[in-house]
Each structure stands twice: as C-alpha cells, then as structure tokens.
C-alpha cells in the first residue's frame, strides 16, 4: 500500500462516505473502479469489507440499511465469547485522528479481539 495522495483520498473517502450524500455503487470491473471518485471508492470498500455489519448499530437487523448519521459510529452491538467482550469502535472518530501513515500502520500491525477480521484488512491493497 502506497502512502501517497491516492491513499489519503481513499482513507478520507471511507470516513466521508458515511457523512456525505449517497454515491453510485462502483461496479466490479477495473475500468469503472478507476473512474470512480474517492467517495465512491470509499463507499465500495466499506460495503465489501462489511465494516457496517459491526460498526453501525442495527445495520444487519435492518437488511443493510441505516441512517447515514449512524453509519460507522460503532455504538450498539456487544460481541461476547471466550476472549471476553468486544465493542465496535466509532470508526469516524478513530480515522479522523490519524494521518495516512498512522492508518496504514494500524491496519497492518494492530490486532483486536474477535470478531474484528484484521487478517482480511491486512490482505487488502
């Protein structure tokens, strides 16, 4: 993963996607993805990485729908298992406090309790 302008745009887009008006979904083909705006790419990444499943209250229970104001706020669901209890963080607050380099470092090195799929984030380019 490069830490240039493209990375900064994509990182910002992931957070801003929850706060800005809806954009058209990005199709799976490479040409369309290259033409997409940073916001559209961010929304696409958040959707296919299933970030909202845990970090948006009621998202799964409402068939993948939630008010934009609630997207990625991390409130709600508590996950319990042999590891103890896990609470999804507010991704909006977390990301806005990091530089692009800090975000990349966190995604490449951090670990968290289940059900956070750090292994999947590390595989993303």
């Amino acid at each position: 993963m490069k830490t240039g302008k493209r990375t900064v745009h994509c990182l910002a887009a992931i957070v801003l996607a929850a706060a800005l008006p809806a954009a058209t979904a990005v199709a799976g083909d490479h040409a369309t993805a290259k033409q997409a705006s940073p916001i559209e790419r961010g929304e696409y990444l958040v959707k296919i990485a299933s970030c909202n499943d845990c970090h948006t209250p009621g998202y799964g229970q409402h068939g993948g729908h939630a008010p934009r104001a609630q997207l990625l706020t991390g409130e709600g669901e508590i996950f319990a298992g042999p590891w103890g209890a896990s609470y999804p963080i507010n991704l909006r607050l977390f990301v806005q406090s990091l530089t692009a380099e800090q975000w990349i470092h966190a995604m490449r090195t951090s670990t968290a309790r289940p059900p956070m799929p750090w292994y999947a984030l590390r595989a993303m380019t």
Side-chain angles (χ1 to χ4, degrees):
M1 187 180 272
K2 296 182 181 179
T3 59
K5 288 183 181 178
R6 179 178 230 170
T7 300
V8 173
H9 286 286
C10 288
L11 295 175
I14 290 171
V15 175
L16 293 174
L20 296 176
T24 307
V26 176
D29 70 88
H30 188 65
T32 303
K34 277 188 159 189
Q35 295 172 358
S37 74
I39 299 300
E40 291 168 326
R41 291 179 64 90
E43 286 184 332
Y44 177 72
L45 287 172
V46 166
K47 184 173 271 191
I48 65 165
S50 300
C51 302
N52 285 308
D53 290 359
C54 297
H55 293 276
T56 299
Y59 189 80
Q61 295 89 334
H62 294 102
H65 300 286
R68 291 188 83 72
Q70 290 180 0
L71 295 176
L72 305 176
T73 59
E75 299 171 8
E77 191 94 21
I78 298 171
F79 301 95
W83 64 86
S86 299
Y87 303 85
I89 66 169
N90 183 322
L91 289 178
R92 290 180 180 194
L93 294 177
F94 176 68
V95 171
Q96 69 176 304
S97 68
L98 301 176
T99 66
E101 291 78 19
Q102 290 170 328
W103 169 259
I104 292 166
H105 179 74
M107 295 305 104
R108 294 286 182 227
T109 62
S110 297
T111 58
R113 295 184 201 178
M116 183 63 199
W118 287 103
Y119 46 86
L121 287 174
R122 288 186 185 122
M124 295 177 87
T125 59

